[in-house]
Each structure stands twice: as C-alpha cells, then as structure tokens.
Amino acid sequence: MLKKRLIACLLMKDDLIVQSIGFNKYLPIGNPKFPLEFLNKWDVDEIVLLDISAYKQKRKLNLKILEVLSKSCFVPLTVGGGITSVEDVRKYIRAGADKVSINSSAINNSKLITEIVNIFGSQCVVVSMDCKLDKDGIYRIYKDSGKIPTNLVASDWAKEVESLGAGEIFLNSIDRDGSKIGYDNNLIKEITEAVSIPIIACGGVGDFSHFASGIIKGGASAVAAGNIFHYIEHSTIIAKMNLLQSGIDIRMDSEATYKGREFDKNGRLMMMSREDLSKIEFTRGKEDII
Amino acid sequence: MENLINIKIIDYGMGNIQSVKNAFELLNGKVEIISDPSNIKNADGIILPGVGAFSNAIKNLKERKLIEPLKEAVIDQKVPLLGICLGMQLLADNSEEGGDNEGLSFIAGKICKIPHMEGYRLPHVGWNDVAVKKKEPLFRNIIDKGSFYFVHSYRFECDDEFVVATTNYGQSINAVVRKENVFGVQFHPERSQRKGLHLLSNFVNYIKGTKV
C-alpha cells in the first residue's frame, strides 16, 4: 500500500536555514548542508526547500547551494522560491531539484502552472498555498510570504490549481505557523475534500503527536513541519515512530526505530526505566552492502 | 586499469538528470550526461531518466536525433539500458498521454492513464511497497519487501513475462519491467534512499557482469 509521507520543510532566508514564527519572525539555524544531511540519514520521506526571501527580493534561489545540497540528498527534493517562469523551473531542476513549488507567482499568473505542467508534467508541480482564517470565518489565500491578502477563497483556489494541472498542494496555515499548537485540521479537511490531488499539510506542529492528527482528522496524504525537526536528535525518526504507533502506515528503514519505546502525551520520547536500561547491550549495526 | 565503466545519461531536455547523476557518481564515479547522438557509442550502460510528459519527451528525442543511435546500441549491440519513470514509459510501443504517441518499442506494451478509483488520489505519489515477482539482478541482496518513491499518473501495461515487480495502489501497477538487456523502473531509485541506491548499484554490477 501507498504510505503516508513525513516531509521536512527547510526555510531558507538569505542563504541560511531559519525557523519561522507567524511568517514574520525568524530564528537562524545556519548552513543548509547540515540539516539536509541529517534529515536524509534520519529516514525523512521528502524534503521541501523554500527560499522565502527570493520572490520579494526579485531574485532566484542560489543555484550553487542547490547543487551542493542535491548531491547529498537521496530523497525527493522539492524546491521553491523566486520561480516566475518555465525557464526558472528548468534551471532549478538542472541544479538538482526533483519538483518545484510555486506560490505567489501562481496567484499573479495562474497560466504559469499549466505552462510548467505541459513541459515537466503534473508530478513536478507543487502549488504552495498560504491560508489564513479571515474574520468572516472563511479561509483565504495570502501572497508574498503571507503578507498581502487576496480575494481567493482557499478551497476555490485549490480546485482551480487542480484543474490547471498541479500535482500536489502544499497547504500552509499562517495562523498556525510557529504556534506549536498543532495543524489547523479544519483547513486541511476543507481542502482535502475539495480536490482529489494529494495534500501536504504544514504549519503548527509543536510536538510529535500532532503529525497523526493531520492525517486522521484532516485527511492529508503527507504531513510536513519545519521548526520541530531542528535541535532534536533523530527528530524525523521519532516523528515516524509516533505515526506508526497511531496506526499510520509509514516507511521506516532506519536501524534506530525506537520500537517499543514509550512516548509522553506530547509525543516526546520517555526515559527508559532503570531496569530496562541495565538490559541494553550494544550491538553492531548491519553493514551497508551498497 | 581501473575497473570503471562508462555510464551515460541521456539528456533530452527533461527530467531530474542531476539527481540521477549524483546517485551514479556516488556508486560508480564515471558517469556522463550526453545529448549528442554520437556520444552514445562506447557507452557500457545507458540511463534514460525522465520526469514530464510523454509526447514532449519523444518529440525531444526525435529532434535531437537520439532515437536511431539508441536503437542501434540497445538492440544491435545489447548495451544494458535502464529507463527511470518516464524513461521506463518511453520503452513501450505507444502511450495515450497527450494524444497517441509512439514510443521506442524496446518492450512490447502500452502506457495508459491509471484508472481513477474512489479513495485513491492521483497522481500516485509517495513511497509504496514493491512486490518482487522474479528474482532478477536488480533486486540482488535487497529484501523482497521494501518501499520506493513513486510519482506518476500513467502506468506501463505489458505481458506478464516482462514484469519483474509490481506495486499496489488499489490496483496492480507494474513497477519494474525487463526484456533481456532493457530494464525499466517506474519509481525513482535515485531518490529512494538506501534501497534505491542499492538497486542502482545492482544495475552497475549487472553492466560489469556483461563486460566479462
């Protein structure tokens, strides 16, 4: 069976990876090479790399960085930020991207979606949507890093990008971004019910137990987060073990699985009991034959 | 002399060629991206990558005059070829994607849209289990059960004799096909972590085996 996916979203601002809070505050993490390497080793299913300052500064993502990152990436790499033409897509893919993500430029020129799809295929195009719950109770789309409101109703826009040929939707909640209170499952549900292409949910994960709700309550095909994966050892593996324990089918190829370990109500790994600790023996991991 | 083989990746203007190159660089070291037809000669192994629409792909191959040299190498000289995703689909006789288009006819079969089924979103994207039907060089030392990264909306329909492995997405989809020296994988081994790299290294070893 097709597995659900756990996606790590790396936000890049001025060539540095950052954590984002509410689309307006940013904490620096550092060189993109390191998070990319550890995420790859820790069983992540996909990586989304977004240059959040490119579009506003009217420039492209730094292709040199992309080339270096792609060399140590062996999971699908989706790249976004600054794409305004088919030629940009070609450059990004040449530099090592597998898929591209477009956001503001799709809102300003929706024909761009179809143009990219006709050349690179639907599976190559991820449309990223930044949504916010307006005071009248309707989810609307915001553009330019969530700063400028548009009249687009989120579910209508989702249907439109589907009909224009988009392969997936990366759904971000501005309200929940960096909030650590979990996904906006109402939003996810509204969009998954509106379209039949896969939805990637993002925004708001504060502990590892939140991932499962995006799939169970929201109906997402993939769950993504950014901030939580930094500063925690084996973050993506622990997230996956939480998903597995919630009964969700997900790929787990790593040697360290945390199988049988207990998690607290926030999804954090619990300490082992003294008795269990004393039983641990060190074993040598299987050698990789590649 | 060092035991490196000449792997050539066909560039026809589409697809994630760089990702494929990265993977082979890690495994073999000697890999070249080529778009000039005369460069296909002296390849020990050919990779036909691909992401995109079938009709565009075949049009580009024609425009770059790559089809004849490919057929010469693969059919006459029996050079091993691996088609990845769209590259696999190009191996078939024809495809219904973007009108009726002729393929390379290396493996008898046709490309059809995956029929829509309730509860199964299209495109088929993500990690899916692959069931190995035949013991083949590509799956040497890889345990039978393992998942690979798929992303496609069309599938390869062909006779069972060519099917090496399948996957299930509500319905059976051919994941790996083979006819003699021609291999096709529907998933993306270059982006399927260790299992994918393992499969590619098996292909490299297969090429080495044919040279002895």
Side-chain angles (χ1 to χ4, degrees):
Chain A
M1 268 313 292
L2 185 70
K3 308 206 172 339
K4 300 292 179 192
R5 287 171 285 156
L6 180 76
I7 297 179
C9 182
L10 294 177
L11 300 176
M12 195 156 73
K13 192 171 186 291
D14 305 323
D15 296 350
L16 283 183
I17 299 298
V18 296
Q19 289 180 315
S20 154
I21 297 160
F23 276 65
N24 54 28
K25 278 185 249 165
Y26 303 98
L27 303 169
I29 296 289
N31 190 331
K33 214 176 139 194
F34 303 113
L36 191 113
E37 266 176 26
F38 71 66
L39 288 167
N40 250 280
K41 291 205 170 105
W42 296 346
D43 245 7
V44 76
D45 289 324
E46 252 181 88
I47 292 172
V48 176
L49 176 73
L50 300 175
D51 188 326
I52 50 176
S53 50
Y55 190 82
K56 211 176 120 200
Q57 298 172 1
K58 296 200 169 38
R59 59 171 177 85
K60 308 300 162 202
L61 179 134
N62 187 334
L63 294 177
K64 282 265 153 51
I65 292 184
L66 179 53
E67 274 167 27
V68 172
L69 294 183
S70 181
K71 279 198 198 306
S72 49
C73 183
F74 295 103
V75 294
L77 180 63
T78 304
V79 180
I83 294 172
T84 49
S85 69
V86 169
E87 206 34 54
D88 292 339
V89 177
R90 188 167 282 129
K91 278 185 201 149
Y92 283 28
I93 290 180
R94 288 261 135 168
D98 299 290
K99 304 191 245 184
V100 291
S101 160
I102 49 174
N103 190 340
S104 300
S105 46
I107 299 170
N108 295 338
N109 169 23
S110 58
K111 273 192 218 124
L112 181 64
I113 299 175
T114 319
E115 279 170 31
I116 303 173
V117 167
N118 285 342
I119 294 177
F120 301 96
S122 286
Q123 78 294 325
C124 187
V125 183
V126 180
V127 173
S128 184
M129 302 183 3
D130 296 330
C131 308
K132 197 175 162 134
L133 185 63
D134 279 341
K135 288 204 176 71
D136 56 1
I138 294 170
Y139 288 104
R140 288 206 179 78
I141 303 290
Y142 282 63
K143 64 177 184 178
D144 294 2
S145 296
K147 294 200 172 55
I148 302 174
T150 71
N151 291 324
L152 293 165
V153 173
S155 56
D156 293 345
W157 177 237
K159 281 181 200 154
E160 191 177 340
V161 303
E162 180 183 34
S163 71
L164 291 169
E168 287 173 88
I169 290 174
F170 188 90
L171 184 65
N172 208 347
S173 161
I174 297 173
D175 306 307
R176 299 295 174 101
D177 183 60
S179 71
K180 300 188 182 176
I181 55 172
Y183 290 120
D184 187 341
N185 291 320
N186 295 331
L187 169 67
I188 301 169
K189 195 155 186 275
E190 195 173 304
I191 306 300
T192 50
E193 282 171 0
V195 295
S196 64
I197 51 176
I199 305 292
I200 303 162
C202 192
V205 171
D207 65 58
F208 293 112
S209 63
H210 287 151
F211 287 109
S213 76
I215 293 170
I216 296 167
K217 293 186 185 148
S221 302
V223 279
N227 300 352
I228 192 173
F229 295 134
H230 302 291
Y231 299 123
I232 297 174
E233 183 80 5
H234 285 177
S235 51
T236 42
I237 301 176
I238 294 174
K240 283 190 152 188
M241 200 61 218
N242 267 280
L243 282 162
L244 277 175
Q245 290 188 354
S246 307
I248 289 161
D249 189 17
I250 198 149
R251 178 184 70 105
M252 184 74 106
D253 281 349
S254 138
E255 287 276 325
T257 60
Y258 297 93
K259 201 174 169 189
R261 294 288 299 276
E262 281 176 51
F263 296 92
D264 67 11
K265 65 175 179 16
N266 294 322
R268 283 177 308 200
L269 195 62
M270 300 253 279
M271 270 258 294
M272 289 172 92
S273 68
R274 237 164 222 286
E275 199 188 334
D276 286 338
L277 271 173
S278 67
K279 283 184 203 149
I280 289 187
E281 287 174 40
F282 287 96
T283 52
R284 187 177 277 275
K286 263 183 289 170
E287 215 171 310
D288 236 334
I289 328 168
I290 299 168
Chain B
M1 213 181 81
E2 220 189 323
N3 193 17
L4 284 181
I5 47 168
N6 266 321
I7 293 179
K8 306 222 170 172
I9 301 172
I10 308 286
D11 173 12
Y12 51 98
M14 294 171 76
N16 54 347
I17 302 165
Q18 198 55 43
S19 316
V20 178
K21 188 177 179 226
N22 291 342
F24 278 103
E25 262 174 356
L26 189 82
L27 298 169
N28 184 52
K30 200 171 177 192
V31 52
E32 214 184 320
I33 293 176
I34 58 161
S35 53
D36 187 345
S38 62
N39 279 338
I40 292 182
K41 277 181 204 155
N42 77 32
D44 296 322
I46 300 172
I47 312 295
L48 196 56
V51 174
F54 192 97
S55 46
N56 264 320
I58 211 82
K59 196 181 91 202
N60 286 3
L61 281 175
K62 265 184 204 150
E63 275 173 12
R64 297 182 184 208
K65 300 194 169 53
L66 285 163
I67 293 184
E68 283 314 310
L70 262 180
K71 286 191 171 164
E72 202 174 294
V74 172
I75 297 173
D76 302 342
Q77 295 162 24
K78 300 281 174 214
V79 176
L81 178 138
L82 177 69
I84 298 173
C85 195
L86 177 64
M88 172 228 210
Q89 303 194 343
L90 290 170
L91 306 175
D93 294 323
N94 57 20
S95 164
E96 58 175 45
E97 185 179 1
D100 191 22
N101 287 290
E102 248 177 65
L104 295 168
S105 297
F106 289 159
I107 298 179
K110 61 178 186 203
I111 308 304
C112 302
K113 179 129 189 149
I114 303 171
H116 183 260
M117 278 174 72
E118 194 57 42
Y120 291 91
R121 290 172 189 266
L122 287 178
H124 171 220
V125 40
W127 298 76
N128 206 337
D129 289 328
V130 165
V132 183
K133 303 281 171 195
K134 284 185 202 151
K135 282 276 167 227
E136 284 282 337
L138 282 189
F139 284 97
R140 242 186 87 223
N141 289 335
I142 302 181
I143 41 171
D144 285 354
K145 218 169 155 292
S147 48
F148 292 88
Y149 185 82
F150 287 82
V151 49
H152 63 121
S153 324
Y154 287 78
R155 66 174 180 187
F156 197 114
E157 293 183 1
C158 68
D159 202 273
D160 274 350
E161 66 171 301
F162 304 126
V163 179
V164 174
T166 61
T167 187
N168 189 310
Y169 190 52
Q171 49 207 327
S172 178
I173 292 172
N174 294 333
V176 182
V177 291
R178 179 196 178 181
K179 187 186 170 191
E180 298 167 19
N181 56 326
V182 182
F183 298 79
V185 290
Q186 182 62 71
F187 47 81
H188 286 272
E190 77 279 13
R191 288 302 201 221
S192 293
Q193 271 291 5
R194 290 193 294 183
K195 284 226 169 64
L197 291 175
H198 198 146
L199 186 138
L200 292 179
S201 99
N202 281 344
F203 182 67
V204 171
N205 288 334
Y206 168 82
I207 301 172
K208 285 180 181 161
T210 60
K211 298 236 334 155
V212 176

Coordinates of all heavy atoms in Angstrom, one line a residue, chain A residues 112-167:
Chain A
L112 N 0.9 30.1 -15.5 CA 2.3 29.5 -15.3 C 2.2 28.1 -14.9 O 3.0 27.2 -15.3 CB 3.0 30.4 -14.2 CG 4.4 29.9 -13.9 CD1 5.4 30.1 -15.1 CD2 5.0 30.7 -12.7
I113 N 1.2 27.7 -14.1 CA 1.0 26.3 -13.7 C 0.9 25.4 -14.9 O 1.6 24.4 -15.0 CB -0.3 26.2 -12.8 CG1 -0.1 27.1 -11.5 CG2 -0.5 24.7 -12.4 CD1 -1.4 27.1 -10.6
T114 N 0.0 25.8 -15.8 CA -0.2 24.9 -17.0 C 1.0 24.9 -17.8 O 1.4 23.8 -18.4 CB -1.4 25.5 -17.8 OG1 -2.4 25.8 -16.9 CG2 -2.0 24.4 -18.7
E115 N 1.7 26.0 -18.0 CA 2.9 26.0 -18.8 C 4.0 25.1 -18.2 O 4.6 24.3 -19.0 CB 3.5 27.5 -18.8 CG 2.8 28.4 -19.8 CD 3.3 29.9 -19.6 OE1 4.5 30.1 -19.1 OE2 2.5 30.8 -19.8
I116 N 4.1 25.1 -16.9 CA 5.1 24.1 -16.3 C 4.7 22.7 -16.5 O 5.4 21.8 -16.9 CB 5.4 24.5 -14.8 CG1 5.8 25.9 -14.7 CG2 6.4 23.6 -14.3 CD1 5.9 26.4 -13.2
V117 N 3.3 22.5 -16.2 CA 2.8 21.1 -16.3 C 3.0 20.5 -17.7 O 3.4 19.4 -17.9 CB 1.3 21.1 -15.9 CG1 0.7 19.8 -16.3 CG2 1.2 21.4 -14.5
N118 N 2.8 21.4 -18.8 CA 2.9 20.9 -20.1 C 4.3 20.4 -20.5 O 4.5 19.5 -21.3 CB 2.5 22.0 -21.1 CG 1.0 22.1 -21.1 OD1 0.2 21.2 -20.7 ND2 0.5 23.2 -21.7
I119 N 5.3 21.0 -19.8 CA 6.6 20.6 -20.2 C 7.2 19.6 -19.2 O 7.8 18.6 -19.6 CB 7.6 21.9 -20.2 CG1 7.1 22.7 -21.4 CG2 9.0 21.4 -20.4 CD1 7.9 24.0 -21.5
F120 N 7.0 19.8 -17.9 CA 7.6 18.9 -16.9 C 6.6 17.9 -16.3 O 7.0 17.1 -15.5 CB 8.3 19.8 -15.8 CG 9.3 20.7 -16.3 CD1 9.0 22.0 -16.6 CD2 10.6 20.2 -16.6 CE1 10.0 22.9 -17.1 CE2 11.6 21.1 -17.1 CZ 11.3 22.4 -17.4
G121 N 5.4 18.0 -16.6 CA 4.4 17.1 -16.1 C 3.8 17.5 -14.8 O 4.4 18.3 -14.0
S122 N 2.6 17.0 -14.5 CA 1.9 17.4 -13.2 C 2.7 17.1 -12.0 O 2.8 17.8 -11.0 CB 0.6 16.6 -13.1 OG -0.4 17.1 -14.0
Q123 N 3.4 15.9 -12.0 CA 4.0 15.4 -10.8 C 5.2 16.3 -10.4 O 5.7 16.2 -9.3 CB 4.5 14.0 -11.0 CG 5.8 13.8 -11.8 CD 5.7 14.2 -13.3 OE1 4.6 14.0 -13.9 NE2 6.7 14.8 -13.8
C124 N 5.6 17.2 -11.3 CA 6.7 18.1 -11.0 C 6.2 19.4 -10.3 O 7.0 20.2 -9.8 CB 7.4 18.4 -12.3 SG 8.9 19.3 -12.1
V125 N 4.9 19.7 -10.3 CA 4.4 21.0 -9.8 C 3.7 20.9 -8.5 O 2.6 20.2 -8.4 CB 3.5 21.6 -10.9 CG1 3.1 23.0 -10.4 CG2 4.2 21.7 -12.2
V126 N 4.2 21.5 -7.5 CA 3.6 21.6 -6.2 C 3.2 23.0 -6.0 O 4.0 23.9 -6.1 CB 4.5 21.2 -5.1 CG1 3.9 21.3 -3.7 CG2 5.1 19.8 -5.3
V127 N 1.9 23.3 -5.8 CA 1.4 24.6 -5.6 C 1.3 24.8 -4.1 O 0.7 24.1 -3.4 CB 0.1 24.9 -6.3 CG1 -0.4 26.3 -5.9 CG2 0.3 24.9 -7.8
S128 N 2.0 25.8 -3.6 CA 2.0 26.1 -2.2 C 1.0 27.2 -1.9 O 0.9 28.2 -2.6 CB 3.4 26.6 -1.9 OG 3.6 26.8 -0.5
M129 N 0.2 27.0 -0.9 CA -0.9 27.9 -0.6 C -0.7 28.4 0.9 O -0.7 27.5 1.8 CB -2.3 27.2 -0.7 CG -2.6 26.7 -2.1 SD -4.2 26.0 -2.3 CE -5.1 26.2 -0.9
D130 N -0.6 29.7 1.1 CA -0.6 30.2 2.4 C -2.0 30.7 2.8 O -2.5 31.6 2.2 CB 0.4 31.4 2.5 CG 1.8 30.9 2.2 OD1 2.1 29.7 2.6 OD2 2.6 31.7 1.7
C131 N -2.6 30.0 3.8 CA -4.0 30.3 4.1 C -4.2 30.9 5.5 O -3.4 30.6 6.4 CB -4.9 29.1 4.0 SG -4.7 28.1 2.6
K132 N -5.2 31.7 5.6 CA -5.5 32.4 6.9 C -7.0 32.4 7.1 O -7.7 32.7 6.1 CB -4.9 33.8 6.8 CG -4.7 34.4 8.2 CD -4.0 35.7 8.0 CE -4.3 36.5 9.3 NZ -3.3 37.1 10.0
L133 N -7.4 32.2 8.3 CA -8.9 32.2 8.6 C -9.2 33.7 8.8 O -8.8 34.3 9.8 CB -9.2 31.4 9.8 CG -10.6 31.3 10.2 CD1 -11.4 30.5 9.1 CD2 -10.8 30.5 11.5
D134 N -10.0 34.3 7.9 CA -10.4 35.7 8.0 C -11.5 35.8 9.0 O -12.1 34.8 9.5 CB -10.9 36.2 6.6 CG -9.7 36.6 5.8 OD1 -8.6 36.8 6.3 OD2 -9.9 36.7 4.5
K135 N -11.8 37.1 9.4 CA -12.8 37.3 10.5 C -14.2 36.8 10.2 O -15.0 36.4 11.0 CB -12.9 38.8 10.8 CG -11.6 39.3 11.5 CD -11.8 40.5 12.3 CE -10.6 41.0 13.1 NZ -9.5 41.5 12.2
D136 N -14.5 36.7 8.9 CA -15.8 36.2 8.5 C -15.9 34.7 8.5 O -16.9 34.1 8.0 CB -16.2 36.7 7.1 CG -15.2 36.4 6.0 OD1 -14.2 35.8 6.4 OD2 -15.4 36.9 4.9
G137 N -14.8 34.0 8.9 CA -14.9 32.5 9.0 C -14.5 31.8 7.8 O -14.8 30.6 7.6
I138 N -14.0 32.5 6.8 CA -13.6 31.9 5.5 C -12.1 31.9 5.4 O -11.4 32.9 5.7 CB -14.3 32.7 4.3 CG1 -15.8 32.5 4.4 CG2 -13.7 32.1 3.0 CD1 -16.5 33.4 3.4
Y139 N -11.6 30.7 4.9 CA -10.1 30.6 4.7 C -9.8 31.3 3.4 O -10.3 30.9 2.3 CB -9.7 29.2 4.7 CG -9.7 28.5 6.0 CD1 -10.7 27.6 6.3 CD2 -8.7 28.8 7.0 CE1 -10.7 27.0 7.6 CE2 -8.7 28.1 8.2 CZ -9.7 27.2 8.5 OH -9.7 26.6 9.7
R140 N -8.9 32.3 3.4 CA -8.5 32.9 2.2 C -7.0 32.8 2.0 O -6.2 32.5 2.9 CB -8.9 34.4 2.2 CG -10.4 34.6 2.0 CD -10.8 35.9 1.4 NE -12.2 36.0 1.2 CZ -13.1 36.2 2.3 NH1 -12.6 36.4 3.5 NH2 -14.4 36.2 2.1
I141 N -6.6 33.0 0.7 CA -5.1 32.9 0.4 C -4.4 34.3 0.6 O -5.0 35.3 0.2 CB -5.0 32.5 -1.1 CG1 -5.8 31.2 -1.4 CG2 -3.6 32.4 -1.6 CD1 -5.2 30.0 -0.8
Y142 N -3.2 34.2 1.1 CA -2.4 35.3 1.2 C -1.1 35.1 0.4 O -0.7 34.0 0.2 CB -2.0 35.6 2.7 CG -3.1 36.2 3.5 CD1 -4.3 35.5 3.7 CD2 -2.9 37.5 4.1 CE1 -5.3 36.1 4.4 CE2 -3.9 38.1 4.8 CZ -5.1 37.4 5.0 OH -6.2 38.0 5.7
K143 N -0.6 36.2 -0.2 CA 0.6 36.1 -1.0 C 1.8 36.9 -0.5 O 1.6 37.6 0.5 CB 0.3 36.4 -2.5 CG -0.1 37.8 -2.7 CD -0.3 38.1 -4.2 CE -0.6 39.5 -4.5 NZ -0.8 39.8 -5.9
D144 N 2.9 36.8 -1.2 CA 4.1 37.4 -0.8 C 4.5 37.1 0.6 O 4.5 38.0 1.5 CB 4.1 38.9 -1.0 CG 3.9 39.3 -2.5 OD1 3.9 38.3 -3.3 OD2 3.9 40.5 -2.9
S145 N 4.8 35.8 0.9 CA 5.2 35.4 2.2 C 4.0 35.7 3.2 O 4.3 36.0 4.4 CB 6.5 36.0 2.7 OG 7.5 35.5 1.9
G146 N 2.8 35.5 2.8 CA 1.7 35.7 3.7 C 1.4 37.1 4.2 O 0.7 37.3 5.1
K147 N 2.0 38.1 3.4 CA 1.8 39.4 3.9 C 0.6 40.2 3.2 O 0.0 41.0 3.8 CB 3.1 40.2 3.6 CG 4.2 39.7 4.5 CD 5.4 40.6 4.7 CE 6.3 40.1 5.8 NZ 6.8 38.7 5.5
I148 N 0.3 39.8 2.0 CA -0.7 40.5 1.2 C -1.9 39.7 1.0 O -1.9 38.6 0.5 CB -0.2 41.0 -0.2 CG1 1.1 41.8 0.0 CG2 -1.2 41.7 -1.0 CD1 1.8 42.2 -1.2
P149 N -3.1 40.1 1.5 CA -4.3 39.3 1.4 C -4.8 39.3 -0.1 O -4.6 40.3 -0.8 CB -5.3 40.1 2.3 CG -4.8 41.4 2.5 CD -3.3 41.4 2.3
T150 N -5.5 38.3 -0.5 CA -6.1 38.2 -1.8 C -7.6 37.9 -1.6 O -8.0 37.6 -0.5 CB -5.5 37.1 -2.7 OG1 -5.9 35.9 -2.2 CG2 -4.0 37.2 -2.7
N151 N -8.4 38.0 -2.6 CA -9.8 37.6 -2.5 C -10.0 36.2 -2.7 O -11.2 35.7 -2.7 CB -10.6 38.4 -3.6 CG -10.6 39.9 -3.3 OD1 -10.6 40.3 -2.1 ND2 -10.5 40.7 -4.3
L152 N -9.0 35.4 -3.0 CA -9.2 34.0 -3.3 C -9.6 33.2 -2.0 O -8.9 33.2 -1.0 CB -7.9 33.4 -3.8 CG -7.4 33.9 -5.2 CD1 -5.9 33.5 -5.4 CD2 -8.3 33.4 -6.3
V153 N -10.7 32.5 -2.2 CA -11.1 31.6 -1.1 C -10.3 30.3 -1.3 O -10.1 29.8 -2.4 CB -12.6 31.2 -1.3 CG1 -13.1 30.2 -0.3 CG2 -13.5 32.5 -1.1
A154 N -9.8 29.8 -0.2 CA -8.8 28.7 -0.2 C -9.3 27.5 -1.0 O -8.6 27.0 -1.9 CB -8.4 28.3 1.2
S155 N -10.5 27.1 -0.8 CA -11.0 25.8 -1.4 C -11.2 26.1 -2.9 O -11.0 25.2 -3.7 CB -12.2 25.3 -0.8 OG -13.2 26.3 -0.8
D156 N -11.6 27.3 -3.3 CA -11.8 27.6 -4.7 C -10.4 27.6 -5.4 O -10.3 27.1 -6.6 CB -12.4 29.0 -4.9 CG -13.9 29.0 -4.4 OD1 -14.4 27.9 -4.2 OD2 -14.4 30.1 -4.2
W157 N -9.5 28.2 -4.8 CA -8.1 28.3 -5.4 C -7.6 26.9 -5.5 O -6.9 26.5 -6.5 CB -7.2 29.2 -4.5 CG -5.8 29.3 -5.0 CD1 -4.7 29.0 -4.2 CD2 -5.3 29.7 -6.3 NE1 -3.6 29.2 -5.0 CE2 -3.9 29.7 -6.2 CE3 -5.9 30.1 -7.4 CZ2 -3.1 30.0 -7.3 CZ3 -5.1 30.5 -8.5 CH2 -3.7 30.4 -8.5
A158 N -7.8 26.0 -4.5 CA -7.3 24.6 -4.6 C -7.9 23.9 -5.8 O -7.2 23.3 -6.6 CB -7.7 23.9 -3.3
K159 N -9.2 24.1 -6.0 CA -9.9 23.5 -7.2 C -9.3 24.0 -8.5 O -9.1 23.3 -9.4 CB -11.4 23.8 -7.1 CG -12.1 22.9 -6.2 CD -13.6 23.2 -6.2 CE -14.3 22.7 -5.0 NZ -15.5 23.4 -4.6
E160 N -9.0 25.3 -8.5 CA -8.5 25.9 -9.7 C -7.1 25.4 -10.0 O -6.8 25.0 -11.2 CB -8.5 27.4 -9.6 CG -8.2 28.0 -11.0 CD -8.2 29.6 -11.0 OE1 -8.8 30.1 -10.0 OE2 -7.6 30.2 -11.9
V161 N -6.2 25.3 -9.0 CA -4.9 24.8 -9.3 C -4.9 23.4 -9.7 O -4.1 22.9 -10.6 CB -3.9 25.1 -8.2 CG1 -3.8 26.5 -7.8 CG2 -4.1 24.2 -7.0
E162 N -5.9 22.6 -9.2 CA -6.0 21.2 -9.6 C -6.4 21.1 -11.1 O -5.8 20.4 -11.8 CB -7.1 20.5 -8.7 CG -7.3 19.0 -9.2 CD -8.4 18.3 -8.4 OE1 -9.4 19.0 -8.0 OE2 -8.2 17.1 -8.1
S163 N -7.4 22.0 -11.5 CA -7.8 21.9 -12.9 C -6.7 22.4 -13.8 O -6.7 22.1 -15.0 CB -9.1 22.7 -13.0 OG -8.9 24.1 -12.9
L164 N -5.8 23.3 -13.3 CA -4.8 23.8 -14.1 C -3.6 22.8 -14.3 O -2.7 23.0 -15.0 CB -4.2 25.1 -13.6 CG -5.1 26.3 -13.7 CD1 -4.6 27.5 -12.9 CD2 -5.3 26.7 -15.1
G165 N -3.7 21.7 -13.5 CA -2.8 20.6 -13.7 C -1.8 20.4 -12.5 O -0.9 19.5 -12.6
A166 N -1.9 21.1 -11.4 CA -0.9 20.9 -10.3 C -1.0 19.5 -9.8 O -2.0 18.9 -9.8 CB -1.2 21.9 -9.2
G167 N 0.2 19.0 -9.4 CA 0.2 17.6 -9.0 C 0.0 17.4 -7.5 O -0.5 16.4 -7.1

